[in-house]
Amino acid sequence: MLKLKLTNVRCFADPAPVRIAPLTILVGENSTGKSSFLALQRATLDLIGGQGDVNFNKDPFFLGAYDQIAHYRGGRGGRADFFEIGIRNTVKDPGKTKRKPNNLEANYTARFVKRGSQPELSHINFRCGRHAIEIAFNHDQVPSIKINTPSWSGTIPEQVWRYIPVSPRFLLGEATGYFYLLREIARRERIKNFSLSKEDALVLSGYWNSALEPFFISSFSIAPVRTKPERTYDPIDDTPRSAGSHVPMLLAKTRFTDRERWEAVKNTIDRFGQKSGLFRAYPVNADIYYM
């Protein structure tokens, strides 16, 4: 099950994994976290997609600086020292057979701290079963990358970074090749304190891609939809407006002037209502419901 994890972000103070369904609709009052959730979902996409510094203020979502993003606990608790965004997903254990499948929970977490007035990425942690990666960032210096697998555990030696560019975010889809490249460099340079096995490199990158790829290829967020529909008997026109006040008049006009189109719209809404259970929960006359 795919979930978005939020901790210490605005109103999401405690760890709050939220399930991401094929269609996820957020409904709530003002200032309840809808826009924050969408902005953080987009920031997570940017992060796992390997884009540059995460921008928490791209149109149409603007979260502000660190003090506007990190949760404020009040009193002595003050502002949170860090906030986290990430992914939780279920992946298959490649070591199990089809007859005895075993699902593992994979967790990807990115931690941000305050630098100046802005949030800065400080750690990325990924763990699935007995395999884990921890990336610690130190501003403009080379990051420290620790790997934990059944065959080897430790920090990737600095000698490796002489030959390949540092890829701290492990770009999605390139993890497999990246780990193999690390192994080949270590073998060629005879780096004795780095002995990640071929099998574990494959398993680790497989977990990484299996956990993050579904979120990356099928998840996107759109701007909040704010509606202000008018009643059909109010003296208004059907000129399009961003808040949707013209929609009821447009539907009423369509019903009486273009019956074929009205029936098509009505049947579409009918199918949606039956599948979602709305009409079962609220049994109303179809014409009254639409008008």
Side-chain angles (χ1 to χ4, degrees), residues 10-180:
R10 288 199 166 185
C11 60
F12 303 98
D14 300 319
V18 181
R19 182 184 173 222
I20 302 297
L23 175 62
T24 303
I25 301 175
L26 307 178
V27 181
E29 299 289 339
N30 292 336
S31 301
T32 55
K34 300 186 301 298
S35 295
S36 296
F37 182 90
L38 294 173
L40 296 165
Q41 184 262 358
R42 185 186 61 185
T44 305
L45 278 174
D46 290 347
L47 188 65
I48 65 176
Q51 296 188 22
D53 293 336
V54 178
N55 186 350
F56 293 96
N57 295 287
K58 288 195 299 186
D59 187 55
F61 308 116
F62 300 91
L63 297 185
Y66 182 90
D67 286 346
Q68 284 75 53
I69 300 174
H71 177 70
Y72 181 67
R73 301 182 181 277
R76 295 182 178 180
R79 188 75 54 190
D81 294 331
F82 67 90
F83 67 85
E84 294 178 340
I85 60 178
I87 299 295
R88 177 181 296 176
N89 202 359
T90 302
V91 302
K92 294 181 179 179
D93 185 347
K96 297 296 181 179
T97 64
K98 292 183 178 180
R99 293 183 178 181
K100 295 182 178 180
N102 183 31
N103 292 329
L104 300 174
E105 183 178 88
N107 283 278
Y108 172 96
T109 304
R111 173 173 291 195
F112 293 82
V113 297
K114 185 176 183 179
R115 182 173 181 82
S117 63
Q118 301 301 316
E120 181 177 79
L121 183 63
S122 66
H123 288 81
I124 287 180
N125 287 280
F126 177 80
R127 179 173 296 276
C128 184
R130 299 172 61 190
H131 296 73
I133 303 171
E134 179 184 340
I135 311 173
F137 300 90
N138 187 10
H139 198 41
D140 295 327
Q141 300 181 22
V142 175
S144 169
I145 301 181
K146 296 180 180 179
I147 294 179
N148 182 63
T149 70
S151 66
W152 180 79
S153 295
T155 302
I156 297 179
E158 292 185 5
Q159 298 97 306
V160 173
W161 306 126
R162 299 176 184 175
Y163 302 95
I164 60 175
V166 177
S167 181
R169 292 174 178 81
F170 290 87
L171 304 185
L172 192 65
E174 298 179 4
T176 302
Y178 191 80
F179 286 122
Y180 275 121

Side-chain angles (χ1 to χ4, degrees), residues 232-253:
T232 56
Y233 50 77
D234 284 339
I236 60 173
D237 58 32
D238 58 353
T239 303
R241 296 177 177 84
S242 59
S245 59
H246 66 292
V247 172
M249 182 59 72
L250 181 64
L251 290 175
K253 187 175 181 180

